[in-house]
Amino acid sequence: MPASSSTQHPPTLFRLVALLIFLTILVRGDTEIGNNDAARINRRAIVSRFNPTRRSTVNATTPMQVGNGNFAFGTDITSLQTFLPFATMSSWGWKNDSLPTGRTQADVDGYRGVSWKNHGRDVRYDFGGLPDIEAWLRGSPNRVNLGRIGLRFWDARGRVADVLEGDLEETEQTLDLWTGTLTSRFKFKGDEVKVHVVSDFESDTVAVRLESRLVREGNLGLFVDHPWNEGKEKFSAPFVGLWDVPEKHTTQLAVDGRTATILHKMVNNYFVTKIGGEHFTIERQSPGKHLYDIRPGAERSRSFSVSVQFSGEISPSGMPKAVPSPSQVVAASKKGWEEYWTLSGFVDLLTGSTDPRAEELQRRIVLSRYLMRVNEAGDSPPQESGLVNNGWFGKFHMEMYFWHSAHWALWNSWDVLHRSTSIYSRFLPRAISFAQSQQGWPTGARWPKMTDPSGRSSPGEINNLLIWQQPHPLIFAQYEYRAFPVKETRRKWRDVVKATADWMAEFAWSNATTGRFDLGPPMYPVSEDTSPNATVNPAFELAYWRLGLEIAEEWFRGLGEDVPRSWTEARKNLAPLPVNEDEDGVRTYSVYEGIEASFWTDSKYTSDHPALVGLYGWLPPTDGLELDVAKRTAEKVWTHWNTTNCWGWDFPMLAMSAARNSLQSKAVDFLLHPEFQFDDVGMPIGGARVPTPYFPGAGSLLYAIAMMAKGWDGQGENAPGFPAEGWKVRVEGLNKAL
């Protein structure tokens, strides 16, 4: 798969409208607080309060990072990758592995999975086919670690010195969140060393500045190394790539004046590392390695600055565009981060709150805002671990896209969100083909679950039978229209809305016996823990289907077009939410229709995502929802669910349910639950289920905070999700949730 680093830019109209909104916020000081104190929030003071600092990374499993959303650079205590090979990753850097032994591309192109009956219709899925081809399709393309940059030490005789982290003294690493600047300080054999690292906000470039007497003496420089990458392992964490198989790949060095270019080839995939800046020499350590030493030139001072650019895009001349200078990268980082912190939403929980937990919750908010901008602001939906390491071969999951990215809408970061929501228009032809040509549905587009920039559905039973990703584009469209209520917004999303709702209406099966429309079987619900051939009318999916179809109908009315009858018929006649009634006559909602009444006490059904609380919390009330039943259901989840097995977005979802049910203290408790943790640099802990970081936890936290602080439709109070006692919540520039 050829690498690409193209960038999608949001429509000019939307960018202008967004800028006007932000300028209005800045001019009038759009601050909402409980005691009518309209003082502007000192954003820089609050952000800078949580600048993370480390004094060792000997046992670290997560890096401090700089980046721009399409590109991220993970670092150890040196603000580089000197001792720990944390990843340099991107949204565009992908690689196909070699085909399985004895297989050709024709075998891949001819792959066919099994067909299962869906109410009499044969539907062909992407599972149950040739195992080796399926394994290759799951693992290719896989996301690439682009390379490693570290400090190189030389002794007085010019020989490479073998230095360990323990050889450094008085180590300290700090991240300035306001400017996106990493700084490390330490002593090596009595000499002070300072390292500054920043990332460009546009190109995928890091600038490195070294300051030390060792630089002037020629004893300190840099190295660049390149790993082999492959998609054999589902998870690659905390590090990505293999460094001990140099024979599997090649690198070539070319030097032109003060610029060095390294061309890295893996199978038929090419990646470029380009170094520019102050005068330097570069030398390959040996022909059998892909390791290059960079040494300051002959006219040395106490400082040395270079820029290192990573690219998969090769110009007609064979080389990428010119690498920006270190000073340009520093200026771009400072400007980009200051605009990000000032021209979007902000929440202040610190000023005036007396609850001691406000400090930790504010820390999580600030660090999550930083890390999401570094890892999850790219041109495609992010993977679960962002650009830190690889999970599920680096691929992204479209059902998780809501948790990764819906918060951008509530925090008014439209310049970021517009990048990745374009995935729906880009994927639309393939999603139509997936639904109609492959699976035989007469109309509509079916959005894949696990995929990559090609839009191809990855093989796997859950990957093919999960459906709750389907309404997501309707929610993103609705949020965009609320922010930009112009006809252009409706026209922009028209084809995606149409194809999405067409398939939703088609998938809802008209049951002639009951006179209603059923969802499934076969299908998996949100929790992925039921039998797909027994799962029919799951509660959350029914409610989400209703909401999505209602949005689609209103969308077409807004366009002045006829609403397809199939949408209205399916929505109005969807099966009611399944209800369980215990021996005392107490009614609660069930995971799906027909599940055994004892499911509340069966760990098989109470150990994964508790989507029942999403019926009224994550989702607004939908037709047929009984609020008293929804509240009892949520309360029973709180007492019967195995929360020690919950993870990531489960806890913000629980918090939103508590908030809508006017149980504000409980909502805050869930956001600070012992099983919902963030590490010292703000990385959301994956826990026993998945490696760290698990960024849906951070994205859902930000969505829940915005909802609890700004409110939701029909709620007029300030900070309706926070307790009145102990909490003073100040808000600037947020949008309400649905």
Side-chain angles (χ1 to χ4, degrees):
M1 178 181 184
S4 172
S5 57
S6 61
T7 300
Q8 299 287 328
H9 296 288
T12 301
L13 173 63
F14 294 148
R15 300 184 78 176
L16 289 173
V17 173
L19 181 59
L20 288 173
I21 292 171
F22 298 145
L23 289 175
T24 300
I25 292 169
L26 291 176
V27 169
R28 78 183 187 198
D30 184 13
T31 304
E32 302 161 15
I33 51 181
N35 67 352
N36 297 317
D37 176 6
R40 288 282 310 284
I41 297 173
N42 187 340
R43 297 187 179 199
R44 184 164 191 169
I46 292 174
V47 169
S48 300
R49 181 187 183 104
F50 298 102
N51 287 343
T53 297
R54 280 178 167 172
R55 290 178 171 79
S56 172
T57 52
V58 171
N59 297 314
T61 57
T62 61
M64 282 199 203
Q65 291 177 296
V66 292
N68 59 32
N70 275 312
F71 167 84
F73 181 74
T75 70
D76 62 21
I77 195 67
T78 63
S79 292
L80 295 167
Q81 298 151 334
T82 308
F83 305 115
L84 297 174
F86 287 121
T88 305
M89 301 187 76
S90 69
S91 60
W92 50 263
W94 297 79
K95 165 190 166 290
N96 276 334
D97 289 346
S98 299
L99 293 172
T101 303
R103 298 295 187 184
T104 67
Q105 187 60 43
D107 296 315
V108 174
D109 296 339
Y111 167 79
R112 296 292 184 274
V114 299
S115 290
W116 281 8
K117 291 289 185 183
N118 188 298
H119 301 290
R121 174 190 284 117
D122 283 326
V123 176
R124 181 164 59 82
Y125 297 102
D126 290 330
F127 59 85
L130 295 171
D132 60 337
I133 298 296
E134 288 190 350
W136 187 88
L137 287 169
R138 277 192 296 270
S140 291
N142 48 83
R143 202 179 300 249
V144 166
N145 180 357
L146 300 169
R148 178 182 180 186
I149 307 170
L151 293 176
R152 174 66 74 216
F153 296 86
W154 289 273
D155 63 21
R157 299 173 64 179
R159 297 173 301 188
V160 171
D162 185 14
V163 178
L164 304 176
E165 181 175 335
D167 296 323
L168 309 185
E169 299 177 333
E170 300 178 25
T171 54
E172 180 181 86
Q173 181 189 25
T174 301
L175 171 60
D176 181 348
L177 298 167
W178 194 259
T179 63
T181 303
L182 279 167
T183 301
S184 289
R185 298 175 176 84
F186 59 86
K187 288 184 178 179
F188 178 64
K189 295 184 177 180
D191 280 296
E192 294 183 354
V193 178
K194 186 183 291 186
V195 183
H196 303 280
V197 177
V198 297
S199 168
D200 195 4
F201 236 58
E202 297 297 331
S203 69
D204 299 336
T205 306
V206 290
V208 181
R209 178 178 175 85
L210 309 181
E211 297 176 10
S212 177
R213 185 188 69 85
L214 297 174
V215 174
R216 187 182 61 208
E217 298 301 317
N219 302 127
L220 181 63
L222 300 168
F223 71 79
V224 178
D225 201 358
H226 302 82
W228 167 255
N229 294 262
E230 61 187 17
K232 292 183 179 180
E233 299 296 330
K234 181 177 179 179
F235 296 107
S236 298
F239 309 119
V240 180
L242 302 173
W243 305 89
D244 57 352
V245 285
E247 69 280 2
K248 289 189 174 184
H249 53 129
T250 65
T251 54
Q252 292 179 316
L253 172 66
V255 179
D256 182 10
R258 291 194 175 187
T259 303
T261 303
I262 301 168
L263 183 65
H264 184 202
K265 181 182 179 183
M266 292 182 283
V267 190
N268 293 317
N269 309 269
Y270 292 88
F271 304 91
V272 176
T273 305
K274 195 167 185 178
I275 305 109
E278 297 179 6
H279 181 63
F280 62 90
T281 62
I282 182 168
E283 182 179 6
R284 189 171 188 160
Q285 276 211 356
S286 75
K289 295 182 179 180
H290 305 294
L291 175 64
Y292 297 82
D293 289 338
I294 300 169
R295 204 163 188 170
E299 297 180 2
R300 294 187 292 265
S301 66
R302 284 182 58 88
S303 67
F304 173 59
S305 298
V306 294
S307 296
V308 183
Q309 182 187 73
F310 297 90
S311 175
E313 191 172 86
I314 301 176
S315 69
S317 65
M319 296 302 170
K321 296 178 181 178
V323 60
S325 69
S327 61
Q328 289 173 322
V329 175
V330 170
S333 178
K334 182 178 179 180
K335 179 176 181 289
W337 280 108
E338 186 166 353
E339 289 180 350
Y340 175 68
W341 290 118
T342 57
L343 299 181
S344 59
F346 203 89
V347 173
D348 173 14
L349 302 179
L350 282 179
T351 309
S353 292
T354 58
D355 191 311
R357 298 175 297 170
E359 177 90 13
E360 171 59 17
L361 196 50
Q362 186 75 62
R363 183 188 79 92
R364 296 183 181 194
I365 293 168
V366 168
L367 292 177
S368 292
R369 285 282 288 165
Y370 177 83
L371 288 170
M372 297 302 273
R373 185 62 180 82
V374 168
N375 288 276
E376 310 229 332
D379 300 335
S380 299
Q383 65 162 320
E384 313 300 65
S385 54
L387 300 175
V388 177
N389 53 51
N390 271 344
W392 290 273
F393 315 100
K395 297 189 176 183
F396 47 88
H397 294 194
M398 294 299 285
E399 86 281 12
M400 300 311 300
Y401 182 42
F402 180 93
W403 294 123
H404 283 289
S405 298
H407 64 93
W408 297 122
L410 301 190
W411 288 77
N412 258 321
S413 295
W414 286 101
D415 58 327
V416 172
L417 186 54
H418 279 139
R419 296 178 179 182
S420 60
T421 52
S422 63
I423 201 74
Y424 288 113
S425 59
R426 286 182 274 153
F427 278 6
L428 185 58
R430 188 143 201 169
I432 290 173
S433 177
F434 182 45
Q436 299 179 32
S437 300
Q438 175 178 323
Q439 296 197 337
W441 300 97
T443 187
R446 183 171 190 173
W447 303 109
K449 176 196 183 295
M450 176 173 152
T451 186
D452 56 67
S454 73
R456 181 184 65 198
S457 175
S458 292
E461 192 172 296
I462 292 176
N463 288 345
N464 279 251
L465 297 178
L466 204 71
I467 67 168
W468 65 277
Q469 70 273 19
Q470 187 69 21
H472 285 354
L474 304 173
I475 305 302
F476 283 110
Q478 182 75 344
Y479 273 133
E480 186 164 315
Y481 185 76
R482 287 155 66 109
F484 308 101
V486 294
K487 210 62 172 285
E488 183 180 340
T489 307
R490 291 206 185 275
R491 286 193 291 264
K492 170 189 171 182
W493 283 91
R494 188 251 181 217
D495 292 348
V496 169
V497 169
K498 175 72 163 57
T500 298
D502 279 346
W503 190 83
M504 290 171 65
E506 189 63 37
F507 183 78
W509 176 64
S510 178
N511 188 329
T513 302
T514 62
R516 67 188 189 183
F517 282 69
D518 294 336
L519 298 183
M523 61 165 292
Y524 278 103
V526 172
S527 56
E528 303 178 6
D529 58 3
T530 66
S531 170
N533 288 308
T535 303
V536 60
N537 293 326
F540 179 83
E541 284 77 2
L542 282 171
Y544 205 18
W545 236 245
R546 283 191 177 90
L547 176 62
L549 288 172
E550 182 180 353
I551 290 171
E553 292 177 54
E554 177 58 32
W555 203 267
F556 265 57
R557 283 192 289 269
L559 283 167
E561 296 190 37
D562 292 336
V563 175
R565 182 180 303 174
S566 61
W567 299 359
T568 306
E569 185 179 11
R571 179 182 59 80
K572 288 186 174 180
N573 295 287
L574 275 174
L577 301 183
V579 173
N580 177 71
E581 187 170 324
D582 66 17
E583 61 275 9
D584 297 321
V586 177
R587 300 167 67 243
T588 53
Y589 288 118
S590 299
V591 175
Y592 67 86
E593 183 181 305
I595 193 172
E596 52 263 38
S598 61
F599 84 89
W600 283 110
T601 57
D602 189 340
S603 61
K604 180 172 65 175
Y605 299 113
T606 58
S607 296
D608 219 309
H609 303 303
L612 286 173
V613 302
L615 293 170
Y616 184 57
W618 169 10
L619 300 186
T622 52
D623 287 347
L625 182 79
E626 299 178 54
L627 295 184
D628 58 336
V629 178
K631 184 176 183 180
R632 284 197 298 271
T633 303
E635 291 171 341
K636 196 161 186 177
V637 167
W638 302 344
T639 58
H640 285 68
W641 227 261
N642 178 16
T643 55
T644 59
N645 213 42
C646 288
W647 47 311
W649 51 275
D650 293 344
F651 294 100
M653 181 171 63
L654 287 160
M656 288 187 284
S657 174
R660 283 214 202 235
N661 282 296
S662 300
L663 298 168
Q664 292 89 346
S665 293
K666 192 73 174 176
V668 173
D669 289 345
F670 279 127
L671 293 183
L672 294 164
H673 194 281
E675 300 294 336
F676 187 46
Q677 294 292 321
F678 292 71
D679 74 6
D680 62 319
V681 297
M683 297 282 183
I685 302 297
R689 305 288 297 277
V690 293
T692 297
Y694 182 69
F695 279 116
S700 58
L701 170 76
L702 293 174
Y703 189 91
I705 287 291
M707 174 185 164
M708 292 165 60
K710 180 67 176 179
W712 51 88
D713 288 352
Q715 172 55 253
E717 299 177 15
N718 289 323
F722 283 88
E725 184 176 347
W727 293 86
K728 180 180 176 182
V729 181
R730 306 203 302 161
V731 173
E732 288 178 355
L734 295 186
N735 294 318
K736 282 189 174 184
L738 292 172

